[in-house]
Amino acid sequence: MTIQGALTILIYALAPFLWLIVAGIALLATIQLVARLRGYRTFGYRCLAANLAALAVGLAGLWWIPVFTNSQLAYVVTVFDWVALIGAVIGLAIPAWLILHPLSYLLRGRRLAAPP
């Protein structure tokens, strides 16, 4: 299969979910922009609850991904299957963290301490 053929299949597979992808990117960009305008800095603010919630979202992918793809976790047997599933879990956890971390900053209303 050529690269063009693989990309064509990928486009047709993603087409029904394109609106959801665009909405997620818009949500991410909006929350990041608003938080940064109010003083949020990625590594200057710490929130254990946001970190644990993002981890929980990622680990929930172990259950949701097989359900979403009409599969079972028992079918994940080869190394490639596990790498793909772990990549999908990480792919869920990172955007969840990018949304929850600045959102927790906005909801708590905390400001960063001024540098000395």
Side-chain angles (χ1 to χ4, degrees):
M1 175 180 287
T2 65
I3 293 176
Q4 183 179 4
L7 289 176
T8 301
I9 292 170
L10 183 64
I11 299 255
Y12 281 114
L14 290 178
F17 307 105
L18 194 57
W19 69 273
L20 205 73
I21 293 168
V22 170
I25 291 172
L27 176 70
L28 174 79
T30 303
I31 289 175
Q32 285 283 333
L33 180 66
V34 170
R36 291 199 184 276
L37 289 174
R38 295 195 180 184
Y40 167 75
R41 296 295 170 255
T42 304
F43 297 112
Y45 171 71
R46 300 188 194 283
C47 180
L48 182 62
N51 295 343
L52 293 175
L55 182 64
V57 168
L59 290 176
L62 289 173
W63 187 73
W64 280 105
I65 293 167
V67 169
F68 185 69
T69 59
N70 295 322
S71 182
Q72 295 179 6
L73 198 56
Y75 295 158
V76 181
V77 292
T78 65
V79 173
F80 181 76
D81 293 340
W82 279 107
V83 168
L85 185 61
I86 290 170
V89 166
I90 292 170
L92 284 172
I94 290 174
W97 186 81
L98 288 172
I99 290 174
L100 294 174
H101 198 253
L103 188 61
S104 72
Y105 176 82
L106 290 172
L107 293 177
R108 286 180 164 195
R110 298 219 176 140
R111 299 269 183 217
L112 296 175

